[in-house]
Amino acid sequence: MNAFVAALRARLGEAGCLTDGDLSAYETDWRKRYPGRALAVARPASTDEVAAVLKLCHEHRVAVVPQGGNTGLVGGSTPDDSGQQLVLSLQRMRRIRAVDGANASLTAEAGCVLGEVQAAAAQAGWLFPLSLAAEGSCTLGGNLATNAGGTQVLRYGNARELCLGLEVVTAQGEVWHGLSGLRKDNTGYDLRDLFIGSEGTLGVITAATVKLYPQPRERLTALAACPSLDAAVALLSRARAAAGDALTGFEVMSRATLALVARELPALPQPLPAAAWTVLLELSDAESAAHAQGVFERLLEGALESGVVTDAAIAQNLQQAQSFWHLRESIPLAQAQAGLNIKHDISLPVSAIPGFVAEMDAQLTAYQRGIEVINFGHLGDGNLHYNVQAPQGVAPAAFLAAHEAAINAQVYDAVQRRGGSISAEHGIGRLKREELAARKDPTALALMRSIKRALDPLNLLNPGRVL
Amino acid sequence: MNAFVAALRARLGEAGCLTDGDLSAYETDWRKRYPGRALAVARPASTDEVAAVLKLCHEHRVAVVPQGGNTGLVGGSTPDDSGQQLVLSLQRMRRIRAVDGANASLTAEAGCVLGEVQAAAAQAGWLFPLSLAAEGSCTLGGNLATNAGGTQVLRYGNARELCLGLEVVTAQGEVWHGLSGLRKDNTGYDLRDLFIGSEGTLGVITAATVKLYPQPRERLTALAACPSLDAAVALLSRARAAAGDALTGFEVMSRATLALVARELPALPQPLPAAAWTVLLELSDAESAAHAQGVFERLLEGALESGVVTDAAIAQNLQQAQSFWHLRESIPLAQAQAGLNIKHDISLPVSAIPGFVAEMDAQLTAYQRGIEVINFGHLGDGNLHYNVQAPQGVAPAAFLAAHEAAINAQVYDAVQRRGGSISAEHGIGRLKREELAARKDPTALALMRSIKRALDPLNLLNPGRVL
């Protein structure tokens, strides 16, 4: 190992190879759930240096944990506690290589912080729509390695849908020059999408070409009260038909969710009276504020008449729009204040959601009286954060210790029966690896293992993650 | 081989296993460029039967050529002339399994004709936007196996972007149950996109779940004359900014292209006077005819004022809209009448197109005086049909025999220098296999070969295609 670290230092220099001092920022995730110990931290500054690192790892049989902003939620980007795994941080590779306005594309290195990519696009008059809570510190490479979701998926898709081409270093230290600004290219297998979402287990993404979009002229937000989840699904269909792709947000919050927010954050205004479901709609209009206003008014009038919506409010100014979003975004804070809870990041066909929620709510209430389901999320994407909180008066930690496994099993069983996913946007990492092995289609698992063996036969790339 | 055919017949019955009579519809592509001879034609009627066929092939080491509508352009779906390859036709698997309106998705078997899938969606009030010339006979499975493009890519993407989930039978005869109506699912490697576009070399697609879209309320078409290709690119940026995703078509036709149409099809009206470039724009509006008209008028007025456009006409009724499209669609017919020509299905970053065309036109004119470049295509997707015709008075067949290889090399070299693709939408098959091996990034080729070996170690799935 000493020979390996020496060779690494010789190739990358002092700044590129950390072994001493406090490495905890690299060794532990930001939520401090996955503390580990690294053999060393490699910080290459170029694609050639990444290739050199991986060649050395291959030669010395050293396992590599690629790392971007280290903001993941599933333990995918920190080393285990053996002290034998190399952390490969991409943070020094943060050049915006090109912005091509006529082609509506941008090429950036993997270590660029998402917010910097958004800013580079905006500076050139374009929108890079990927947006999520960690955008101030997560990196483009990490976003692609985990196929990040976020708040704009309904309209623009996940990170996958925003990517045109990749530059990747393989387990053997070879560089695939797959950067491309092409919208159409049928020359062979889709390697790009194989690396996207593979969580660093098949190769190391060093740069990407992504799609840019015209900046919307106007963003408008509304809240609507729905008497049932079926009504919310009906409102989604209506909104899609009325607004087409101008519909960029469709978030739902259950009555219990907003009651929790009222309890924990009493100063936060709630514009609509309590309802079974409150929907936040966002419209991004290419034309004008007046046009967006007209679309919303027609949509909501029709929905009110038909009973799909019982009450509604359109934000009258930017401040009001921000307060609507703030309400939605304050849910995790309210949950954190209320104490530990059991989180689920599930997705279902939108049509299956009302049935799932009715069944699950009843089942969990029967399982444990007083359980609180804090259910909210991106209904437009079929993605719910179906979180479960201890009955009031019961200590959360004790509740979790006693019931988390049983509740997870019930939720995941029901998700599986309805063709859903146990990880809609967060990935697998270490957290859900065993769950995946138990629940994924066996042929899919066999295919995944074949591909892993083919591309990384020595199992050096992020071993023990995903598979 | 007799034992294999007997076992096949025993499993599939007489209707499922053809060996006698005229099999030319299965053995030869529709353009009659790739005549072959099949060992037999298997026509399974269910996924289980497809799995049984592939298990038998695996056991008896028989190569399989999967086939949908047999409308491909690159020799990917017909057997070689050995008489040893089995044609596996999916045409009996043509059930629409489900239409899920609330989830905006549809599940259909691979043998469904594309037009039937469109019709099933329309009957339920939805749009399935994949659309191409062969839609009356090509199949959904073939569309996905080749990642088909077509006329609606600018807005809705290729077949890949329209697919949510797949059911696939592997080379070993195992079924991957990957049908899914989910928009978000981060549970492992993206097997779906690996099979899409792999041209039957990694597995056999038996069914797919695809996305549906709201039907646009109004479609509006316009023609615009541009003084240069740079101006056409500028018009594309303006149209994107003005119309957002309502812009569903942006096709260009060069002066020489419309002159050829005028010469070969003199009865066909050409609404605008000849210009360097004529652009066909299509708007699919979610609101109303008046709204679409307003968007077009504002766009074209601004473009006229700035000189990006020198003349324009908005279709005043459906008949006129059809005549605009008819002009665009008549180009292949005019070319066929004029005789053989050298076809290229290339793509480039949109920003690189003006430079490429200027360079290539000059180079080919210098190479052979009088050469005619018939250049038209989906500018919005960066996809050009950059076709080359013999000088007038020179026999096309002799011209092709003498110059096709040299012209291909010049065009593909220039495409490659500018980061383009030698096959934008048609795929590789047998036609471009050697070109791919010579031109694709070597690391990409090595990765593709690893994956092929991992999933089909006996090389039984469509051998000799793609790789």
Side-chain angles (χ1 to χ4, degrees):
Chain A
M1 283 305 116
N2 283 345
F4 168 76
V5 174
L8 196 65
R9 178 161 288 129
R11 181 67 180 81
L12 301 181
E14 289 298 324
C17 179
L18 311 181
T19 49
D20 303 321
D22 179 12
L23 299 180
S24 62
Y26 301 96
E27 292 175 324
T28 301
D29 65 302
W30 64 282
R31 294 194 305 168
K32 309 209 188 312
R33 304 277 174 93
Y34 295 94
R37 208 158 56 79
L39 171 64
V41 177
R43 301 175 72 241
S46 68
T47 306
D48 280 352
E49 288 191 359
V50 175
V53 171
L54 287 170
K55 270 200 203 324
L56 278 174
C57 288
H58 195 251
E59 200 179 307
H60 292 264
R61 306 291 192 260
V62 172
V64 188
V65 179
Q67 188 180 90
N70 199 13
T71 61
L73 298 167
V74 294
S77 62
T78 50
D80 65 17
D81 53 14
S82 67
Q84 299 298 306
Q85 300 188 327
L86 178 75
V87 170
L88 170 52
S89 167
L90 279 298
Q91 288 192 338
R92 283 175 75 207
M93 290 193 64
R94 58 198 301 167
R95 218 156 42 90
I96 304 285
R97 291 196 192 161
V99 182
D100 183 345
N103 195 52
S105 65
L106 176 154
T107 301
E109 293 181 344
C112 287
V113 169
L114 174 54
E116 295 169 358
V117 179
Q118 295 166 343
Q123 213 177 352
W126 292 86
L127 173 73
F128 179 59
L130 189 66
S131 176
L132 45 108
E135 62 196 25
S137 47
C138 66
T139 62
L140 183 63
N143 296 149
L144 289 164
T146 59
N147 187 28
T151 60
Q152 300 287 301
V153 174
L154 178 63
R155 163 62 188 88
Y156 299 100
N158 297 292
R160 179 185 305 293
E161 282 81 37
L162 295 171
C163 182
L164 292 169
L166 290 180
E167 180 185 88
V168 172
V169 181
T170 69
Q172 295 76 34
E174 303 295 329
V175 181
W176 169 42
H177 298 282
L179 291 177
S180 156
L182 302 179
R183 258 72 180 173
K184 286 168 103 170
D185 181 15
N186 278 346
T187 58
Y189 303 159
D190 181 10
L191 301 172
R192 177 190 67 202
D193 286 308
L194 188 59
F195 288 113
I196 294 175
S198 69
E199 304 186 27
T201 65
L202 297 179
V204 177
I205 296 171
T206 51
T209 303
V210 296
K211 295 182 193 168
L212 300 179
Y213 285 84
Q215 288 179 318
R217 202 153 298 174
E218 200 63 46
R219 279 223 174 87
L220 202 59
T221 316
L223 287 177
C226 291
S228 67
L229 207 40
D230 280 310
V233 170
L235 180 62
L236 174 63
S237 288
R238 282 169 176 263
R240 276 198 177 123
D245 274 316
L247 184 71
T248 47
F250 196 96
E251 304 278 316
V252 295
M253 300 168 275
S254 71
R255 184 193 297 271
T257 302
L258 288 183
L260 175 81
V261 172
R263 211 157 65 221
E264 296 292 336
L265 306 167
L268 199 67
Q270 299 213 6
L272 292 186
W277 291 88
T278 302
V279 179
L280 170 65
L281 300 101
E282 185 189 73
L283 215 61
S284 294
D285 198 281
E287 295 177 43
S288 65
H291 181 253
Q293 185 85 22
V295 172
F296 254 163
E297 281 169 7
R298 281 193 300 278
L299 166 67
L300 292 172
E301 274 165 24
L304 279 161
E305 269 168 33
S306 70
V308 160
V309 163
T310 54
D311 201 350
I314 301 177
Q316 292 308 308
N317 50 47
L318 195 62
Q319 196 192 346
Q320 216 169 28
Q322 281 170 344
S323 81
F324 289 5
W325 268 113
H326 190 56
L327 182 63
R328 162 69 182 83
E329 285 162 355
S330 68
I331 300 170
L333 177 64
Q335 282 213 285
Q337 273 189 208
L340 285 177
N341 60 79
I342 307 171
K343 292 192 193 302
H344 302 110
D345 166 40
I346 58 174
S347 66
L348 290 153
V350 174
S351 51
I353 284 182
F356 166 83
V357 171
E359 175 192 324
M360 231 26 252
D361 284 3
Q363 189 176 323
L364 289 179
T365 308
Y367 169 75
Q368 192 77 3
R369 185 188 290 265
I371 264 185
E372 275 204 297
V373 176
I374 303 303
N375 187 1
F376 62 99
H378 323 289
L379 185 67
D381 314 323
N383 183 190
L384 293 180
H385 299 297
Y386 189 89
N387 298 344
V388 179
Q389 219 139 354
Q392 289 187 46
V394 175
F399 178 75
L400 261 67
H403 300 293
E404 182 163 19
I407 289 176
N408 282 348
Q410 291 180 62
V411 171
Y412 292 154
D413 283 351
V415 164
Q416 214 175 342
R417 274 199 304 279
R418 294 174 188 267
S421 166
I422 62 165
S423 184
E425 55 182 5
H426 297 167
I428 299 300
R430 277 185 272 181
L431 177 65
K432 293 184 181 167
R433 184 186 156 204
E434 279 156 37
E435 209 69 66
L436 187 79
R439 295 182 180 277
K440 186 96 177 171
D441 176 271
T443 306
L445 280 172
L447 288 165
M448 285 170 57
R449 291 189 184 115
S450 294
I451 292 166
K452 171 71 173 173
R453 273 195 303 272
L455 267 50
D456 179 22
L458 301 176
N459 194 25
L460 296 178
L461 292 177
N462 226 1
R465 278 69 170 190
V466 185
L467 286 174
Chain B
M1 284 305 116
N2 283 345
F4 168 76
V5 174
L8 195 67
R9 178 161 288 131
R11 181 67 179 81
L12 301 182
E14 289 297 325
C17 178
L18 311 181
T19 48
D20 303 322
D22 179 11
L23 300 180
S24 61
Y26 301 97
E27 292 174 323
T28 302
D29 65 302
W30 64 282
R31 294 194 305 170
K32 308 206 187 317
R33 302 277 173 95
Y34 296 94
R37 209 159 54 79
L39 170 64
V41 177
R43 301 176 72 241
S46 68
T47 305
D48 281 350
E49 288 190 1
V50 174
V53 171
L54 287 169
K55 271 199 204 319
L56 279 174
C57 288
H58 195 251
E59 199 179 308
H60 293 263
R61 306 290 194 261
V62 171
V64 188
V65 179
Q67 188 179 89
N70 200 13
T71 61
L73 297 166
V74 293
S77 62
T78 51
D80 66 16
D81 53 15
S82 67
Q84 299 298 305
Q85 300 188 325
L86 178 74
V87 170
L88 170 52
S89 167
L90 280 298
Q91 288 192 337
R92 283 175 74 206
M93 290 193 63
R94 58 197 301 167
R95 219 158 41 90
I96 305 285
R97 290 194 192 162
V99 181
D100 183 346
N103 195 53
S105 65
L106 176 155
T107 302
E109 293 181 344
C112 288
V113 169
L114 173 54
E116 294 169 359
V117 179
Q118 295 166 343
Q123 212 177 351
W126 292 86
L127 172 73
F128 179 58
L130 189 66
S131 177
L132 46 107
E135 63 195 26
S137 47
C138 66
T139 62
L140 183 63
N143 296 148
L144 288 165
T146 59
N147 188 27
T151 61
Q152 300 287 301
V153 174
L154 178 62
R155 163 63 188 88
Y156 300 100
N158 297 292
R160 178 185 307 290
E161 281 82 35
L162 294 170
C163 182
L164 292 169
L166 290 180
E167 180 184 88
V168 172
V169 181
T170 69
Q172 295 75 33
E174 303 296 329
V175 181
W176 169 43
H177 298 282
L179 291 175
S180 157
L182 303 180
R183 258 72 180 172
K184 285 168 105 170
D185 180 15
N186 278 347
T187 58
Y189 303 159
D190 182 10
L191 301 171
R192 176 190 68 202
D193 287 308
L194 188 60
F195 288 113
I196 294 175
S198 68
E199 304 186 26
T201 64
L202 298 179
V204 177
I205 295 170
T206 51
T209 303
V210 296
K211 295 182 193 168
L212 301 179
Y213 286 85
Q215 288 180 319
R217 202 153 298 174
E218 200 63 44
R219 279 224 176 86
L220 201 59
T221 316
L223 288 177
C226 291
S228 69
L229 206 41
D230 281 309
V233 170
L235 179 62
L236 174 63
S237 287
R238 283 168 175 263
R240 275 197 177 124
D245 274 315
L247 184 70
T248 47
F250 196 95
E251 304 278 317
V252 294
M253 301 168 275
S254 71
R255 185 193 297 272
T257 302
L258 288 184
L260 175 82
V261 172
R263 210 157 67 222
E264 295 293 337
L265 306 167
L268 200 67
Q270 299 212 6
L272 292 186
W277 291 88
T278 302
V279 179
L280 169 66
L281 299 101
E282 187 189 72
L283 215 61
S284 294
D285 198 281
E287 296 177 40
S288 65
H291 181 254
Q293 185 85 20
V295 172
F296 254 163
E297 280 169 7
R298 281 192 299 279
L299 166 67
L300 293 171
E301 273 164 26
L304 279 159
E305 268 167 36
S306 70
V308 160
V309 163
T310 54
D311 202 351
I314 301 176
Q316 292 307 309
N317 51 47
L318 194 64
Q319 196 192 345
Q320 217 171 25
Q322 281 169 345
S323 82
F324 289 5
W325 269 112
H326 190 54
L327 183 64
R328 162 67 182 83
E329 285 161 356
S330 68
I331 300 170
L333 178 63
Q335 282 213 284
Q337 272 189 208
L340 286 177
N341 59 80
I342 306 171
K343 292 192 196 298
H344 301 111
D345 166 40
I346 58 174
S347 65
L348 291 153
V350 173
S351 51
I353 284 182
F356 166 83
V357 170
E359 175 192 324
M360 232 26 253
D361 284 3
Q363 188 176 324
L364 289 178
T365 308
Y367 170 75
Q368 191 77 5
R369 185 189 289 264
I371 263 185
E372 275 204 297
V373 176
I374 303 303
N375 187 1
F376 62 99
H378 322 290
L379 184 67
D381 314 323
N383 182 191
L384 293 180
H385 298 296
Y386 189 88
N387 298 343
V388 179
Q389 219 140 353
Q392 288 186 48
V394 176
F399 178 76
L400 261 66
H403 300 291
E404 182 162 20
I407 289 176
N408 281 348
Q410 291 180 62
V411 171
Y412 291 154
D413 284 351
V415 164
Q416 214 175 342
R417 273 199 305 278
R418 292 174 188 267
S421 166
I422 63 165
S423 184
E425 56 181 6
H426 297 166
I428 300 299
R430 278 185 272 180
L431 178 65
K432 292 184 182 167
R433 184 186 156 205
E434 280 157 35
E435 209 69 66
L436 187 79
R439 294 180 182 278
K440 186 95 177 172
D441 176 90
T443 305
L445 280 172
L447 288 166
M448 286 171 57
R449 290 187 185 117
S450 292
I451 292 165
K452 171 70 175 174
R453 272 194 304 271
L455 268 51
D456 180 22
L458 301 176
N459 195 22
L460 296 177
L461 292 177
N462 226 1
R465 278 69 169 190
V466 184
L467 287 173

